Amino acid sequence: QVKLVESGGGSAQAGGSLRLSCVGAGYTYNSHCAGWFRQVPGKAREGVALIARNGSTSYVDSVKGRFTISKDMAKNTLNLQMNSLKAEDTGMYYCAADSDPRCVEFRRWGQGTQVTVSS
């Protein structure tokens, strides 16, 4: 059974760092895109960072220069390094993979990991 299993969430102070990981159990990150999304209660899910098959990356403006997405093909792991955290980074973070060629729709999702940043 294919699963995306996230880890690394938790609490941090503003200005601190966290690193999220998402292991693909029975899955390798070789689709068009993989990414990290976050959701806050009452708000729509937001794409935070994407990484394409060729390694190119994109970020939502609010995290540019602070977050870095990467993938380790040998370990079947998608990572999100989050530095200089802000209170507004708080939310449930989900990894996603197995996208369509336009990297718009994702067929596989992790269960989510909570990130809480206190100011």
Side-chain angles (χ1 to χ4, degrees):
Q1 182 181 1
V2 174
K3 291 179 62 177
L4 301 181
V5 182
E6 296 146 350
S7 62
S11 298
Q13 295 285 327
S17 299
L18 286 172
R19 183 179 179 85
L20 305 184
S21 294
C22 183
V23 176
Y27 178 81
T28 56
Y29 287 97
N30 58 358
S31 68
H32 296 285
C33 282
W36 288 94
F37 294 76
R38 67 185 176 195
Q39 189 161 24
V40 177
K43 293 187 177 181
R45 186 172 57 198
E46 173 186 44
V48 174
L50 295 177
I51 185 166
R53 180 184 289 171
N54 64 3
S56 62
T57 59
S58 62
Y59 301 90
V60 67
D61 285 347
S62 62
V63 307
K64 285 180 179 177
R66 300 189 297 120
F67 289 12
T68 303
I69 188 172
S70 63
K71 56 182 178 179
D72 185 334
M73 298 300 289
K75 297 181 179 179
N76 290 342
T77 301
L78 181 72
N79 300 304
L80 184 68
Q81 179 66 42
M82 306 186 295
N83 298 329
S84 302
L85 285 164
K86 302 178 180 180
E88 50 263 43
D89 294 323
T90 294
M92 185 69 79
Y93 283 70
Y94 300 88
C95 62
D98 197 10
S99 75
D100 67 304
R102 296 182 304 145
C103 303
V104 172
E105 295 184 358
F106 292 78
R107 288 179 279 270
R108 303 194 189 279
W109 292 85
Q111 80 284 358
T113 185
Q114 178 68 36
V115 170
T116 303
V117 183
S118 56
S119 56

